[in-house]
Amino acid sequence: LEAITLFVGKAKITSDTGPQIRFAAHRTLAKAFLHDHKVLFAHQFDEVDWPHVHSTLTNNIPRLFQLWAAKHVMRIAATNVYVNKQTPTQCKKCPSCTVCDETTHHITLCEESGRVDVFHDTVGALEDWLEETDTDPDLMEVIVDYVRSWDTELLENFCRQLTPRFHRLGRSQDTIGWHNFMAGMISTEISLIQQAHMTVRGSRMSIKKWTSGLIIKLLEITHG
């Protein structure tokens, strides 16, 4: 019997307590901060696979890419709408389509032909990567169809003919939202589905590496 057992949230701590306690504390602060700033509300925040998102952003991407991702999520990236707040003479219109105001959300939805081509090229790269990493076939189809929907369809609509675990994924990811998904905020249900597939297939790739790769690919699409 253990004389003392330490839990952080629902996780039992069996090794160095420092990283887990810091992560839990920062998670609590981030949840309140993002909710208060209307970036990600509390019920959305709870659906995100934060352990994998945090690990990816901290360890697997360059510093400048980290800064861009943070600014994009907080909607303070140097879009024309944001620059206009600092310099009122700056035109708000998108320099590509010249029709819509250039916001962080508009970047992935711009209908200018060049941007559309880049979007489809990077989604194609995502699809190739999903296939190369032996992604669950249904999961691969759902992810690609959802990305290509351009925020016009709920992910749950692509899961109607699939098993209940995909229905849970649909509800969870739709709570988080398409734009947040494209910023790497994936549902915890995704790694659960892929982990089950990898176990059956006897994959040698870790779920941590696979999930990190997915998050990076989504960020690359948004970055363009």
Side-chain angles (χ1 to χ4, degrees):
L1 296 177
E2 297 175 292
I4 297 176
T5 304
L6 176 63
F7 285 83
V8 176
K10 296 181 180 180
K12 181 180 179 181
I13 306 303
T14 58
S15 57
D16 182 14
T17 61
Q20 290 94 333
I21 292 175
R22 284 191 294 272
F23 174 80
H26 292 159
R27 185 184 185 280
T28 299
L29 292 172
K31 181 177 180 178
F33 179 85
L34 294 175
H35 181 87
D36 290 345
H37 286 77
K38 300 180 180 180
V39 173
L40 195 70
F41 293 110
H43 69 286
Q44 296 174 297
F45 187 96
D46 289 338
E47 298 294 330
V48 177
D49 187 351
W50 288 114
H52 283 125
V53 172
H54 174 264
S55 176
T56 300
L57 295 178
T58 303
N59 302 315
N60 297 335
I61 62 175
R63 178 63 175 168
L64 289 179
F65 200 57
Q66 292 176 10
L67 293 173
W68 167 82
K71 289 182 177 181
H72 179 82
V73 168
M74 292 303 300
R75 300 168 194 159
I76 58 172
T79 62
N80 282 342
V81 166
Y82 181 75
V83 173
N84 174 266
K85 293 179 180 179
Q86 321 302 320
T87 309
T89 56
Q90 173 67 45
C91 176
K92 296 181 181 180
K93 297 299 181 184
C94 170
S96 296
C97 69
T98 69
V99 175
C100 300
D101 287 352
E102 189 190 37
T103 63
T104 52
H105 281 185
H106 174 73
I107 289 173
T108 47
L109 299 177
C110 182
E111 296 184 8
E112 189 272 329
S113 60
R115 284 199 174 183
V116 171
D117 288 343
V118 170
F119 178 83
H120 287 305
D121 286 346
T122 51
V123 175
L126 166 65
E127 188 171 16
D128 290 343
W129 178 86
L130 290 169
E131 187 170 0
E132 290 167 3
T133 54
D134 191 26
T135 303
D136 179 290
D138 289 333
L139 182 59
M140 178 170 66
E141 184 174 353
V142 163
I143 288 174
V144 174
D145 286 347
Y146 183 54
V147 172
R148 285 183 172 147
S149 75
W150 256 14
D151 198 26
T152 61
E153 290 276 356
L154 296 175
L155 190 145
E156 192 170 9
N157 291 341
F158 299 113
C159 301
R160 294 192 185 280
Q161 305 302 317
L162 301 176
T163 59
R165 63 182 183 175
F166 279 92
H167 298 170
R168 291 193 295 272
L169 166 60
R171 291 190 295 271
S172 176
Q173 192 62 62
D174 288 337
T175 297
I176 298 168
W178 187 86
H179 283 285
N180 291 324
F181 180 72
M182 298 306 297
M185 297 185 207
I186 63 172
S187 165
T188 56
E189 299 293 334
I190 287 180
S191 62
L192 294 176
I193 291 172
Q194 178 61 14
Q195 178 67 79
H197 174 73
M198 294 170 74
T199 299
V200 171
R201 298 276 290 181
S203 174
R204 299 181 66 179
M205 176 182 282
S206 70
I207 190 62
K208 183 177 181 179
K209 182 176 181 180
W210 181 89
T211 308
S212 177
L214 173 60
I215 292 167
I216 291 171
K217 287 297 180 185
L218 292 171
L219 285 168
E220 288 175 347
I221 293 172
T222 298
H223 187 266

